Amino acid sequence: NEDAAFEKAKASRRREDLIEFLETSENPIQQEEILQILSEVEHEEAWQEVSKYSYADLFKFVQKHPGSPFAPEARQQMAALKAKSDAARSQDLERQKRAAEAERLRREAEKQKEEEERERQRRRSLDPFFDLMVHVEGGSFDMGSNENDDEKPIYQVTVKGFYLSKCPVTQAQWKLIMGDNPSNFKGDDLPVETVSWDDAQAFLKKLNERTGSGYRLPSEAEWEFAARGGKKSKSYKFSGSNEIDEVAWYDKNSGGKTHPVGQKKANELGLFDLSGNVWEWCEDDLHGNYNGAPGDGSAWVDVPARGGSRVNRGGSYLLSALYCRPARRSRRSPGYRDDSLGFRLALPFQSVG
């Protein structure tokens, strides 16, 4: 009967049962109630369709069903989606901002790097040593040894900080400044040799006129301090090692010739070839021992008239390991040249005394 069909439709809340009842019922009261249930079912179905979808779907649902019991929840979900979207947009904008800033900084760093490289190239074209000078922190050390009379007595020297070129002056560097190449063994990366102390002074004069710098020869004390490793010294027998073959070109491994600078192991300060390859001129006049030598690391120069010999240090490719010790000394007249004699550069501080 009709009441039973009414109760069945209400209980099932299935669309087809509700519609079937409406099509067969003649009871307006029951029809009104079933229509209300059908409307709820349609709202539920519509809500199930859109509740897990986009803001636009929720918006359409509210527009179409403003009075639906699900409309408040739809509006809440719309607000949540909007907040989430706003947060995502804010995060995206922040990411874009960070990315743009990172790109700006990268471009600035790249530009700065290019400018610095151009400046290095410009300076290097004027001054081939400007980025090849190693800082030697000042300090005190015991200079000399008891091996030979001219290395005695051992005495304490306090050296001020200064800079020393990483390697001996090369033939390429000499040619850039002087325009010629006096060396016997030819090669741009080989140490310049067959240069006298006077030749080295002429080179320094031209280099300083060109660069406005104060390059000079190291004092004998500065040279030995650096060769021993300065304040980082590990008291090696040679400059940078107890094993001569690690750090030096000398008579046993040179093949009777000089070799490109910087090929052997560096010493504690990052300096190369202070043992072997070529002897290196120092500023000092030669004295037979260290009695009366200055204790401040300055060049020991005879005044008013300079002595007849200048100091050279480090040994060479021609000689045995004994000559490659940091304390070993040699002498030559200021005008003397041979293919085992070269030099390296220093920068302040030097007080002549």
Side-chain angles (χ1 to χ4, degrees), residues 283 296 298-303 306 350-353:
E283 181 63 31
D296 61 0
S298 60
W300 193 3
V301 175
D302 294 330
V303 290
R306 297 209 58 169
Q350 180 194 38
S351 59
V352 176

Side-chain angles (χ1 to χ4, degrees), residues 125-136:
S125 68
L126 295 173
D127 180 356
F129 302 97
F130 90 96
D131 57 352
L132 298 176
M133 303 301 290
V134 176
H135 180 245
V136 181

Side-chain angles (χ1 to χ4, degrees), residues 317-332:
Y317 75 92
L318 277 174
L319 298 173
S320 72
L322 292 175
Y323 292 87
C324 298
R325 296 180 298 107
R328 185 70 188 219
R329 308 172 77 202
S330 184
R331 71 185 77 182
R332 291 290 186 272

